[in-house]
Amino acid sequence: MRSPFWKKRLPRLNLDKLDDPEVWRRIPILDKDMLRALSDAQFYGEFCHENHDGIAEYWRSGGVTGQPLFYPRSFRDIGVGLESFARTFDCAGAGRGERAHISFPMGIHPVGQIYARCASSRGITVNWAGSGTSTPSALQLELIQRLRPTIWLGMSSYALHLANLAEARGMPLNSIRRIMTSAEPVSQAKRDKIERTFGARVTDNFGMTEAGMMGSEDAPGAGFRIWTDLYYIEVLDPQSLEPAKEGEVGTLVVTALQTNNITPFLRWSSGDLVTYSEADDNSGPFAVFPRIKHAHRTAGFFKVRGVNLGHQDLEDFMFRHQEIGDFRAEVLNDGGNDVLRLSIEVRRGSDAGVVSNRIEVQVREKFELKPHVVLLETGTLAKEFEANVKAARFVDRRG
């Protein structure tokens, strides 16, 4: 209510009854289009407010559409943010005396530097490696060999690239026992692939720049325990915006309870489609928190010769083949016809020709598209991807 932006939009509310669902749901939902409509001056002068304990730093918005915003975070925000990130170490079973190699970007995105800063609260040693743009992948592998970290943190796509490059160079990654990922969807096939190549357990984590690190897995693939002491979440029917039933897919709406001291993200619609399940209270120290699980319905797709080819479906299919180290999918126009080109790297010890033929046949059978399969040397894609924050695994080159 200190924000000029919200003053114009909020109805008259009984502030003593905000815990009444009927009162709470009178607050309008905030979405990305509303923020994109604001100029920088409007965002900082009208949306944000000045009654806070001081600006400690700025967090870059995570979206890729339009001009990014830089959210001011107060000193109180940062204290809470450090604790919310540190809890993910607890969920992963990581503790005092372990060593972490952090391959998240260390620039204006907050995730890498906050992870590095909060590790000391759990007694964990840190190497601030950063992404492939700041520390080339070959040097990252050398550091892992020399410093023997027990935890690796980064985006799941970069985990695959590092593992493929390590295999190509004959460099084992056997000191790493835990892998902690965030910022990208991790399907079961991708999880299996990472765990196979590293010989380590994956714990995926969920957050957003508008709030902070919101939760973590405490059981592989079961969904994220959400820190509901720090974030109030709603899962709503996408059409009616009424509460979705437990287990039904709905749109995620978030209100940060303790990290909104400058930026009032009230009922923020993140665009995530999720299912919700109540706390079970008896299966571990974080079981008092409810879970959400992504429905993965927002993943992209190619339309090739009238066939909708989902990126997530194709990724799952490819990573189920243990002989494949990595791949990239591209759609091109060749003489007036759309062509699906699959560039694949085949693991050492496998017959590349046999694997290539099998992929061609099975893609045609499963997706009703005949791909053009290209064989690449192991490590080629890792070298191309390492400069990117997120891997360009799916590329439409039809112009």
Side-chain angles (χ1 to χ4, degrees):
M1 293 181 72
R2 300 187 185 113
S3 160
F5 174 92
W6 279 109
K7 279 183 181 178
K8 294 184 289 188
R9 288 164 176 79
L10 284 173
R12 188 180 296 276
L13 298 169
N14 185 338
L15 299 184
D16 294 327
K17 293 189 175 180
L18 287 179
D19 56 350
D20 182 331
E22 295 305 315
V23 174
W24 180 257
R25 287 201 290 269
R26 293 181 62 209
I27 299 171
I29 287 175
L30 177 68
D31 61 32
K32 294 176 182 178
D33 288 337
M34 295 178 187
L35 283 193
R36 291 185 187 123
L38 300 177
S39 67
D40 262 13
Q42 289 174 316
F43 177 76
Y44 293 110
E46 297 179 21
F47 184 82
C48 300
H49 60 79
E50 298 180 353
N51 191 345
H52 52 76
D53 61 309
I55 296 174
E57 59 193 65
Y58 292 87
W59 288 6
R60 184 192 188 278
S61 62
V64 295
T65 302
Q67 185 78 5
L69 289 167
F70 290 82
Y71 303 144
R73 290 283 169 256
S74 77
F75 291 95
R76 192 185 313 165
D77 291 337
I78 297 304
V80 175
L82 288 167
E83 173 58 23
S84 69
F85 273 77
R87 288 181 185 181
T88 67
F89 284 116
D90 304 333
C91 279
R96 183 168 296 278
E98 296 203 57
R99 297 181 297 281
H101 181 104
I102 300 181
S103 294
F104 282 114
M106 289 291 179
I108 53 180
H109 287 276
V111 59
Q113 46 97 354
I114 294 290
Y115 259 129
R117 288 156 60 189
C118 77
S120 62
S121 71
R122 298 308 192 256
I124 295 171
T125 305
V126 169
N127 181 13
W128 297 51
S131 66
T133 49
S134 56
T135 306
S137 298
L139 179 54
Q140 299 228 13
L141 292 179
E142 181 184 328
L143 290 169
I144 290 172
Q145 298 294 307
R146 292 173 59 191
L147 303 179
R148 307 287 293 169
T150 55
I151 314 163
W152 182 87
L153 297 94
M155 294 185 186
S156 56
S157 56
Y158 194 51
L160 290 172
H161 305 330
L162 274 184
N164 291 330
L165 189 61
E167 182 183 37
R169 296 181 176 219
M171 302 173 75
L173 302 172
N174 51 15
S175 70
I176 296 171
R177 302 196 304 269
R178 313 180 203 280
I179 294 172
M180 296 173 63
T181 59
S182 191
E184 296 178 324
V186 179
S187 66
Q188 188 59 49
K190 196 173 191 180
R191 181 189 302 272
D192 292 344
K193 170 76 172 172
I194 294 170
E195 292 187 339
R196 255 193 335 264
T197 52
F198 273 84
R201 180 182 180 231
V202 171
T203 298
D204 198 22
N205 305 285
F206 174 64
M208 60 185 71
T209 322
E210 292 76 18
M213 185 57 71
M214 292 178 56
S216 179
E217 296 179 329
D218 61 349
F224 305 107
R225 297 285 188 183
I226 299 296
W227 323 135
T228 46
D229 57 333
L230 305 180
Y231 310 101
Y232 178 65
I233 64 168
E234 303 167 75
V235 179
L236 307 179
D237 181 275
Q239 277 73 47
S240 68
L241 296 181
E242 292 295 315
K245 294 179 181 177
E246 186 171 350
E248 290 183 350
V249 174
T251 187
L252 180 64
V253 173
V254 177
T255 300
L257 302 176
Q258 298 189 49
T259 53
N260 260 347
N261 292 298
I262 305 176
T263 54
F265 284 103
L266 268 177
R267 301 197 79 198
W268 168 252
S269 178
S270 66
D272 296 274
L273 291 175
V274 302
T275 57
Y276 174 92
S277 57
E278 291 286 356
D280 38 55
D281 294 349
N282 60 0
S283 60
F286 290 93
V288 295
F289 294 117
R291 277 195 180 109
I292 62 167
K293 188 171 185 179
H294 275 96
H296 296 309
R297 288 193 185 175
T298 55
F301 67 91
F302 292 135
K303 189 155 191 168
V304 188
R305 297 187 182 184
V307 176
N308 287 336
L309 179 61
H311 296 172
Q312 192 74 58
D313 294 334
L314 182 59
E315 182 177 85
D316 286 353
F317 169 83
M318 296 297 288
F319 283 146
R320 286 193 188 104
H321 292 78
Q322 296 190 24
E323 308 93 336
I324 292 179
D326 207 348
F327 81 96
R328 178 168 56 202
E330 301 162 282
V331 181
L332 309 95
N333 189 269
D334 183 13
N337 289 321
D338 289 345
V339 175
L340 173 66
R341 180 167 69 193
L342 293 176
S343 301
I344 64 172
E345 297 179 13
V346 176
R347 295 174 66 89
R348 290 179 177 179
S350 300
D351 188 314
V354 170
V355 174
S356 175
N357 291 335
R358 185 187 306 144
I359 290 296
E360 181 179 314
V361 170
Q362 292 184 359
V363 168
R364 184 169 53 187
E365 290 175 348
K366 181 173 178 60
F367 300 105
E368 300 180 354
L369 285 170
K370 182 180 179 181
H372 173 51
V373 179
V374 178
L375 291 168
L376 301 176
E377 290 186 16
T378 300
T380 301
L381 291 173
K383 194 177 297 183
E384 292 180 15
F385 288 156
E386 71 177 13
N388 296 305
V389 173
K390 293 188 180 180
R393 191 179 300 285
F394 302 93
V395 183
D396 193 332
R397 300 194 185 278
R398 288 173 291 190

